[in-house]
Amino acid sequence: QVQLVESGGGSVQAGGSLRLSCQASGFASTSYSMGWFRQAPGKEREGVACIDFDGRAGYADSVKGRFTISKDNAKNTLYLQMNSLKPEDTAMYYCAADPSARITIAAMDIYGMDYRGKGTLVTISS
């Protein structure tokens, strides 16, 4: 049974940093693509960052240069390092996984991913 549990959300001021973590179980991160979605109130779900089974990463234009996705295969854990945070980054952030070997941000937005966690809230104040 695939499970994804996010942690690390919180409230910070603009310009600050947060690191989100996602503990995965029920599958090996070396064989799945994984990623992060976010959804702000009243807005559509947005693919933020993704990483292939072999570590190739992709980012939404809105976060390029500020966010970094990574994973620790030994710990089966996915991370999202978020720097230079802006008020518009405020959203619920969801970890996601898919048995596809490859994933892109565009594919995330169009097709979603098969599994998703319950989310962690990120609030950025100006």
Side-chain angles (χ1 to χ4, degrees), residues 85-108:
L85 284 160
K86 303 176 181 180
E88 51 263 44
D89 294 319
T90 294
M92 187 71 80
Y93 283 71
Y94 300 92
C95 174
D98 196 281
S100 301
R102 299 292 182 191
I103 193 75
T104 64
I105 290 294
M108 287 178 70

Side-chain angles (χ1 to χ4, degrees), residues 42-61:
K43 294 189 177 181
E44 291 189 356
R45 180 195 68 195
E46 174 188 21
V48 174
C50 59
I51 188 165
D52 288 341
F53 75 104
D54 62 354
R56 185 183 69 173
Y59 299 93
D61 287 344

Side-chain angles (χ1 to χ4, degrees), residues 28-84:
S29 61
T30 51
S31 58
Y32 274 46
S33 293
M34 299 185 73
W36 293 93
F37 287 99
R38 68 185 180 187
Q39 189 162 20
K43 294 189 177 181
E44 291 189 356
R45 180 195 68 195
E46 174 188 21
V48 174
C50 59
I51 188 165
D52 288 341
F53 75 104
D54 62 354
R56 185 183 69 173
Y59 299 93
D61 287 344
S62 58
V63 306
K64 277 181 183 176
R66 301 188 297 122
F67 290 12
T68 303
I69 189 171
S70 62
K71 59 178 179 172
D72 185 330
N73 291 327
K75 295 181 179 179
N76 229 28
T77 301
L78 181 72
Y79 302 100
L80 185 68
Q81 178 67 43
M82 306 187 295
N83 298 329
S84 302

